[in-house]
Amino acid sequence: MNRIFNLCLLVLLSSNYVFSQNNLGPRLSAMGMNGAAVKDLWSLEGNPSGITDIKSSSLAINYSKFLFDSELSKQALAFVIPFKNNYVGASFQRYGISEYNEIKGGIALAKRFGDKLSIALKGNYHQIKINNYGATTGFSIDVGAMYDYNEVLTFGASINNPSKQKFSTKAVEAIIPTTVQIGAAYKASSKILIATSISKDLDKPIDVGLGLEYKVVELISLRAGLTAKPFKQYVGFGLNYKKLMMDIVVESDPYLGYTPQIALAYAF
């Protein structure tokens, strides 16, 4: 167990918070972690009502590498099946190293009401395991909604763990965060999408995110964003070829340095 891991573990145990964040995928991450009102497959980990824009069954895999540590990484998977105005989604993510890891899995149900309103509910299973310290599990729910005000403006809001569920044992002291986020997405043109969001973990400062997506051509999209607390910068791009999509982002964190992330998705 190296020195960096010991430091991370100390921060984890002293702050009583799960260290990793929800994996919003490279597209939403590149746009300043804007998952409140931007519709995407990885909305499963942000505002699950955002999956209601998916036209066919889709599967995506994701990998993030924390460059400050040779072993620390995050892997994730997302899958959505649409049928009429109903949508079923499943997500899984793992974060950590051999001595310490977090696992989160969830099932989401979303429904579109007419052409404007979408509502979703998601149930999550959480697990934390630390060698020589033990393991603990917990459950939580997420709720979310999006409203298409018109063809260019969408509003969204979601709450993660509104009932403030906790882990089942005291073997590992950690809390499942309760987070509220609201946001808006504005389609300035057929090529430009602007998104902003405000999020609040009940025990942390308010965070603000701002992001931009520019579709150069049908095949290529460029993205950039930032968040305020802590100040982070994001830059990425996406390739969309027929049913296959690839998205890449690099996150600049003042404490953890650069974190690249890549995802591959396929629409059946």
Side-chain angles (χ1 to χ4, degrees), residues 33 179-182 197-201 204-209:
M33 302 298 288
T179 305
V180 180
Q181 64 171 343
I182 59 173
S197 63
I198 300 173
S199 61
K200 179 68 172 75
D201 184 315
K204 292 183 180 180
I206 293 175
D207 193 14
V208 178

Side-chain angles (χ1 to χ4, degrees), residues 24 120 126 165:
L24 296 183
H126 305 261
Q165 294 297 309

